[in-house]
Amino acid sequence: MTDNFLEPQSLGVPCPRCQRDLQLKKGRYGLFVGCSGYPDCDYMTSADFDPGTDAPCPVCQAGKLVQKTSRFGNSFYACDHYPTCKYSVNLPPVAQTCPTCEFPLLLKKKTTAGERLICANDSCDYKSSLK
């Protein structure tokens, strides 16, 4: 047995899509959690298995935004209904409505002057006052 191979280990948690067991697996980019029903069910998430934020996806309204890591190691937040919904943002989401445009999501942005909330809608330029 080599270091690059890991037997899938059952986590005892049902898959949110098909209700089969989730397994801890090792892939090209490290450890991840995937469905034991692969290839029938292709659900997978990061190994730290964060259930997500409280922020709902503003595009599909059905999913929640979860933290993911790109292949370059950068964190981002994407809808957990991917590939059906491909919405993603680079800043941490906050489940609040924008007072200017009524968009259902604000983003937490850290600046040198302090932390502020900005609207996730590209066409809106709302920024909260510094905290």
Side-chain angles (χ1 to χ4, degrees):
M1 186 152 129
T2 65
D3 290 335
N4 294 340
F5 184 73
L6 176 72
E7 284 289 327
Q9 299 173 359
S10 179
L11 298 176
V13 177
C15 174
R17 290 190 188 159
C18 69
Q19 303 305 315
R20 295 183 192 149
D21 279 348
L22 291 180
Q23 296 178 327
L24 180 65
K25 300 178 180 185
K26 182 167 182 168
R28 180 180 199 173
Y29 301 110
L31 294 175
F32 68 96
V33 175
C35 182
S36 62
Y38 182 82
D40 295 331
C41 177
D42 61 355
Y43 177 81
M44 73 173 110
T45 187
S46 62
D48 54 355
F49 195 59
D50 184 82
T53 62
D54 290 338
C57 177
V59 175
C60 71
Q61 303 292 324
K64 291 204 178 270
L65 297 179
V66 293
Q67 184 175 6
K68 297 187 175 195
T69 304
S70 71
R71 63 182 176 162
F72 303 110
N74 301 325
S75 292
F76 66 98
Y77 297 85
C79 182
D80 62 356
H81 283 157
Y82 179 84
T84 306
C85 178
K86 296 183 179 181
Y87 183 78
S88 68
V89 290
N90 290 328
L91 298 172
V94 177
Q96 291 182 11
T97 304
C98 175
T100 305
C101 70
E102 302 295 320
F103 195 74
L105 185 69
L106 294 177
L107 304 175
K108 190 183 301 184
K109 184 173 185 175
K110 293 181 182 176
T111 63
T112 55
E115 189 176 277
R116 59 174 47 185
L117 297 176
I118 62 172
C119 185
N121 187 356
D122 293 334
S123 63
C124 180
D125 59 353
Y126 171 77
K127 294 177 185 166
S128 69
S129 59
L130 295 172
K131 291 183 180 178

